[in-house]
Amino acid sequence: MALEDIYTELIGEHSRNPENKHHLEQATCCLKGHNPSCGDEITLELKVENGIVKDASFTGVGCAISQASTDIMIDLIRGQSVEKARELAHKFIGMIKREITDESELEELDEALALQNVSNMPARVKCAVLAWHTLDDALKDPQKA
């Protein structure tokens, strides 16, 4: 199986069966993200304690790419510091915008690397980055989160 096929399967699995799609009890931060160009809409719910993203979930509707991207992002940020979660968001957005291309620098994005080729589909870029922009906005002020 080619690497591209594995990535396609990974995105499909996360969009069909998103483990992180549910309401989060005792969320300390909740922020809606919306992509007006296609109608994707998520609500990101975070539980941040002592500067650590203890848990996260999402609800909403959208295409396979936005749903998979959100689900993968949550797996990646859970247990990370607020600063690290924001760094990962910036790295992912940089990857999709082709501003970061060094594979060794992108390695820590783990499964999120499956979305790298979305950068070749300009109409889908906003779908892929919706959750990551929402996360970054939610964590800009750690006192609020």
Side-chain angles (χ1 to χ4, degrees):
M1 184 178 277
L3 189 58
E4 190 172 307
D5 295 336
I6 293 169
Y7 283 167
T8 301
E9 181 60 31
L10 183 66
I11 293 168
E13 182 61 32
H14 275 280
S15 69
R16 285 189 304 274
N17 302 304
E19 293 180 9
N20 299 306
K21 190 173 185 177
H22 56 83
H23 282 289
L24 183 64
E25 295 209 16
Q26 301 176 347
T28 59
C29 179
C30 183
L31 188 64
K32 289 184 184 222
H34 182 251
N35 178 356
S37 64
C38 70
D40 291 347
E41 196 171 273
I42 63 158
T43 299
L44 185 62
E45 299 177 15
L46 304 169
K47 183 175 184 179
V48 179
E49 293 177 353
N50 300 318
I52 304 293
V53 180
K54 294 285 189 181
D55 204 358
S57 70
F58 76 104
T59 56
V61 294
C63 69
I65 290 173
S66 74
Q67 299 292 286
S69 184
T70 307
D71 198 54
I72 291 169
M73 178 195 75
I74 289 172
D75 285 342
L76 190 61
I77 64 158
R78 189 179 283 120
Q80 300 290 344
S81 69
V82 166
E83 294 79 18
K84 184 64 176 181
R86 290 192 71 210
E87 177 188 316
L88 290 167
H90 293 172
K91 195 167 283 193
F92 180 85
I93 293 165
M95 174 186 75
I96 296 296
K97 291 182 172 182
R98 297 184 186 164
E99 296 168 349
I100 302 173
T101 56
D102 181 355
E103 291 298 320
S104 63
E105 189 177 348
L106 296 174
E107 241 174 43
E108 70 181 326
L109 290 176
D110 197 33
E111 285 188 345
L113 280 169
L115 294 153
Q116 189 170 23
N117 285 336
V118 170
S119 65
N120 298 325
M121 301 177 278
R124 306 313 299 259
V125 165
K126 289 182 181 178
C127 304
V129 298
L130 173 62
W132 301 83
H133 279 301
T134 305
L135 172 69
D136 190 43
D137 288 345
L139 295 178
K140 277 184 181 167
D141 185 353
Q143 301 304 323
K144 289 168 126 181

